[in-house]
Amino acid sequence: MIRVDLDVMLARRKMTLTELSQRVGITMANLSILKNGRARAVRMGTLDAICEALNCQPGDILVWEPGSMEAPERGA
């Protein structure tokens, strides 16, 4: 399972979610979904913008943890 530690990096950088949203041009709602671990995917461009704004590496905000993960949805 991938854990998103965006809140940890925001605290380290003394930045609010609102400020990050303004810097990267992503809505507060979408950042909140990512921060709370409810996102099913992250675009590389989004990850790049977040890392640039926070001056960090993807591994600073995305952490793999062993554990169960919901089966991916299959469909049309």
Side-chain angles (χ1 to χ4, degrees):
M1 176 169 72
I2 302 293
R3 184 183 78 234
V4 180
D5 278 345
L6 186 56
D7 53 346
V8 172
M9 191 53 64
L10 284 168
R12 287 182 183 161
R13 299 296 189 252
K14 295 180 173 61
M15 186 183 300
T16 65
L17 198 61
T18 302
E19 185 178 352
L20 181 61
S21 172
Q22 292 169 349
R23 286 187 183 198
V24 299
I26 299 170
T27 66
M28 287 283 295
N30 284 337
L31 277 178
S32 181
I33 288 168
L34 180 61
K35 182 174 118 8
N36 293 319
R38 294 189 315 260
R40 295 190 116 337
V42 180
R43 291 185 179 181
M44 296 302 282
T46 299
L47 185 57
D48 182 59
I50 290 171
C51 287
E52 182 175 353
L54 293 173
N55 190 29
C56 69
Q57 294 295 314
D60 294 330
I61 55 176
L62 300 176
V63 180
W64 178 79
E65 291 182 335
S68 64
M69 189 171 111
E70 292 181 25
E73 292 182 19
R74 297 185 187 261

